[in-house]
Amino acid sequence: MRHTLAEIAAALGGDLLGDGSIEITGTAEPAEAGADQLAIAIDPKYADAFAEGGARVALLWEGADWQALGLDGAVTLPRGKAGMPELTRMMDEGPEIAPGIHPSAVIDPTAEIAEGAAIGPLVVIGPRARIGARARIDTQTSIGEDVWIGDDVLLHAGVCIARGVRIGHRFIGNQNCVVGGDGFSFTTRDKSAVEELRGDLDHAGNAVAGSSQWQRVHSLGAVEIGDDVELGAGSTIDRGTIRATRIGRGTKIDNLVQIGHNAVLGEDCLVCGQAGVAGSARIGNRVVLAGRVAVSDNLFVGDDVIAGGGAGIMTNVPAGRAVLGTPAVKMDTQLKINRELRRLPRLADTIRELQKAVSQMTQKD
């Protein structure tokens, strides 16, 4: 895939400096860039690395002296990070999936495949499934019965879309993600120990006999995903028990994330690796859950909440709040708690010295 420097500048809306006719076949960091690669240096701290590589052109921070860096051309942006989505989209060829349907794919005769689809080897598409235009589906992907998938989706190798799932346009499913597996939902004929614990912390041991015989609650709902959603490798979204589990438009979900049954995530959320959202939790719009954040079941997290890494959300969180810690509290409060915790050893030493002094005074009396 080749692009001239002038084409890249136009696509990014940046300032073109020097020779715009130079063709570029890829990107690299300054120290590793070759003559046909665009060196990415959106911060002055990367300037010294140009001496180690062979780059002729680069994406630079605004105001950079491109000639002093020994370049033949450059593109500058006021905020270099803002240009990365478009630049990487231009340079990413994606998985190599031949146009049309591979002979080894197994497609039910009642399934509908819109025009322009590319379906790779060993893909299985079930009865009455509908696949939108220009879909790209990589090897060994499984799509169940009655699934509806929009236009311009990309499903990487090993993706599993279970029965009845509805997915909007431009969805990206990364390797081995699962949409629509059964929810983890079990109950007992009599009140279980867990229910006892929730009702009365002092009587958690009084669950009735036989309460450990878990009865499976089947998942009759599905999963509904809006447009422009991405699901990371190995991540899972469980189907609802009665109603659907829902993921809002524009939400991005990282690798190894678990979204439980009946959960609702709003629009433009960012859910980072190893986070977990338990069943029936409701997450507002533009919420950020950092890595390893855990949201308990049946809670509400308001719009624009930011949860720092490892936070354990055990109560409702109002809109606009930044939280940290387990149990999660206001971020500034948790930072104060951390500071005081670091002082505990010194405080313990002080208390021991005071106890010793008091003991000596008592003995003298």
Side-chain angles (χ1 to χ4, degrees):
M1 186 173 291
R2 292 178 174 271
H3 298 280
T4 66
L5 188 63
E7 290 171 344
I8 290 174
L12 272 55
D15 293 329
L16 174 63
L17 307 171
D19 186 355
S21 66
I22 297 173
E23 287 193 334
I24 296 154
T25 61
T27 60
E29 294 186 353
E32 301 173 351
D36 62 345
Q37 292 178 305
L38 181 72
I40 308 300
I42 55 179
D43 189 282
K45 66 183 180 182
Y46 298 110
D48 293 342
F50 279 95
E52 303 175 37
R56 297 179 60 201
V57 293
L59 175 65
L60 299 174
W61 63 96
E62 191 174 46
D65 188 345
W66 61 280
Q67 292 173 312
L69 296 173
L71 300 172
D72 296 325
V75 176
T76 62
L77 290 170
R79 176 174 155 79
K81 283 186 177 181
M84 292 302 291
E86 179 62 25
L87 174 63
T88 53
R89 186 197 64 78
M90 293 176 66
M91 306 306 294
D92 183 13
E93 298 183 27
E96 187 175 342
I97 309 172
I101 300 173
H102 192 276
S104 67
V106 179
I107 301 176
D108 189 274
T110 63
E112 298 180 23
I113 312 296
E115 63 181 54
I119 298 177
L122 304 177
V123 170
V124 177
I125 300 177
R128 301 172 301 281
R130 189 271 184 190
I131 310 299
R134 299 172 299 281
R136 302 177 67 207
I137 302 176
D138 208 352
T139 180
Q140 295 185 319
T141 290
S142 172
I143 298 173
E145 62 269 28
D146 300 305
V147 168
W148 191 98
I149 298 178
D151 300 339
D152 299 299
V153 301
L154 171 60
L155 304 181
H156 288 273
V159 170
C160 180
I161 311 294
R163 69 189 189 281
V165 168
R166 294 184 64 86
I167 297 176
H169 304 306
R170 297 174 296 280
F171 173 78
I172 297 176
N174 284 285
Q175 288 82 351
N176 296 314
C177 67
V178 178
V179 181
D182 267 14
F184 190 72
S185 186
F186 298 85
T187 190
T188 53
R189 296 188 183 279
D190 301 303
K191 185 177 285 188
S192 70
V194 174
E195 291 172 290
E196 288 279 0
L197 179 63
R198 284 190 166 188
D200 188 347
L201 293 177
D202 292 329
H203 298 86
N206 295 336
V208 297
S211 64
S212 61
Q213 296 175 2
W214 299 106
Q215 306 294 316
R216 191 173 196 274
V217 178
H218 291 250
S219 298
L220 305 181
V223 176
E224 297 176 0
I225 297 178
D227 296 341
D228 300 299
V229 170
E230 180 161 351
L231 183 60
S235 290
T236 59
I237 303 175
D238 289 349
R239 64 195 314 108
T241 304
I242 303 297
R243 59 177 170 82
T245 302
R246 294 185 174 92
I247 309 297
R249 178 203 56 76
T251 286
K252 314 299 183 186
I253 298 174
D254 196 3
N255 301 339
L256 301 176
V257 170
Q258 159 70 7
I259 308 296
H261 63 279
N262 299 341
V264 176
L265 273 67
E267 298 182 351
D268 295 311
C269 294
L270 200 65
V271 184
C272 302
Q274 298 185 356
V277 177
S280 299
R282 293 176 294 135
I283 310 296
N285 299 320
R286 301 174 299 280
V287 171
V288 176
L289 304 180
R292 296 189 300 108
V293 167
V295 181
S296 294
D297 61 299
N298 292 285
L299 296 184
F300 175 73
V301 177
D303 294 346
D304 302 299
V305 165
I306 298 175
I313 298 177
M314 301 178 183
T315 58
N316 295 336
V317 181
R321 180 163 292 182
V323 297
L324 188 64
T326 301
V329 295
K330 288 182 179 180
M331 191 169 288
D332 57 349
T333 299
Q334 184 61 42
L335 293 175
K336 291 176 183 177
I337 292 172
N338 294 346
R339 184 168 62 248
E340 297 304 325
L341 283 173
R342 289 194 295 269
R343 295 173 178 170
L344 279 179
R346 187 172 60 186
L347 177 61
D349 290 341
T350 301
I351 291 173
R352 281 190 287 268
E353 290 174 3
L354 288 172
Q355 289 175 328
K356 184 177 180 180
V358 170
S359 177
Q360 290 173 346
M361 292 175 63
T362 302
Q363 291 173 1
K364 288 180 181 180
D365 292 341

